[in-house]
């Protein structure tokens, strides 16, 4: 159980916070969709809780590629982004929430007729596999640290990576289970997920350095409330059943 910190009462009205969205289902869905993504639901709860603390929030309804989202946060055009991995470079450019928002695992999509199973990264290195990956993702950066694995990371759409696997242009495609399980389960392509979870890690709320200390305290305390009252677990659970 986390202890909820009491954020300082703002002496003046804080500027509006803008929350950004990525073109990555099921984290986010487009405006007008009947579906609500994992981060859509997290945003809704945070916005409601922050309103009670007199902090105004606007959720940008547009969906952007991850590179564009990160550039917008860096410039201060967007202040908060849900679902970001951490690495040393990013930690010099942004700040992060006190607690993670969910824990994805890296998995491989493969052709349905492929019987191969690797149990860890060492096996992938030993077999010198050619693996597709999503351009710019922190998980792709991590995969590149393993010598011997041939990482093909020109893919900017997950669907393109899965199509390449289905057509046997590449044998495997690497990403986190939140995104791949959603796409594989709804796809008619001859693809499946390898059962191995290669790495489980955390995704966080990414904060712009343009945010005030008070705004960060208000956001972190609202997220802690979601953890303590169980709402965050209730939101996450349906997205990690597969």
């Amino acid at each position: 159980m986390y202890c909820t910190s009491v954020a300082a009462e703002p002496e003046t009205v804080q500027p509006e916070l803008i929350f950004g969205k990525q073109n990555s289902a099921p984290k986010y869905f487009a405006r007008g969709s009947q579906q609500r993504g994992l981060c859509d639901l997290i945003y809704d709860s945070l916005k409601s809780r922050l309103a009670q603390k007199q902090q105004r929030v606007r959720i940008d309804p547009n969906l952007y590629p991850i590179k564009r989202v990160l550039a917008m946060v860096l410039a201060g055009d967007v202040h908060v982004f849900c679902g970001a991995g951490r690495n040393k470079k990013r930690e010099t450019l942004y700040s992060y929430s006190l607690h993670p928002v969910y824990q994805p695992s890296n998995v491989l999509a493969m052709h349905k007729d492929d019987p191969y199973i690797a149990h860890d990264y060492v096996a992938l290195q030993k077999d010198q596999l050619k693996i597709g990956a999503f351009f710019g993702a922190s998980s792709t950066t991590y995969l590149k640290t393993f010598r011997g694995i041939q990482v093909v990371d020109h893919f900017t759409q997950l669907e393109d990576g899965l199509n390449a696997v289905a057509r046997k242009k590449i044998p495997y495609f690497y990403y986190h289970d939140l995104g791949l399980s959603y796409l594989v389960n709804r796809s008619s392509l001859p693809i499946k997920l390898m059962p191995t979870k290669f790495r489980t890690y955390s995704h966080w709320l990414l904060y712009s350095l343009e945010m005030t200390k008070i705004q960060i305290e208000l956001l972190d305390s609202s997220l802690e409330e979601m953890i303590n009252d169980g709402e965050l677990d209730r939101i996450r659970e349906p997205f990690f059943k597969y």
Side-chain angles (χ1 to χ4, degrees), residues 67 74 86-94 96 141:
K67 286 288 191 180
L74 185 62
R86 298 182 78 144
N87 57 46
K88 290 182 179 180
K89 180 180 178 180
R90 287 185 182 180
E91 287 175 351
T92 66
L93 301 174
Y94 315 96
Y96 287 83
T141 301

Side-chain angles (χ1 to χ4, degrees), residues 24-42:
S24 178
K27 283 170 63 174
Y28 302 96
F29 287 98
R31 176 169 45 189
S33 171
Q34 295 182 350
Q35 294 177 282
R36 301 291 290 161
L38 171 57
C39 285
D40 288 326
L41 296 171
I42 291 172

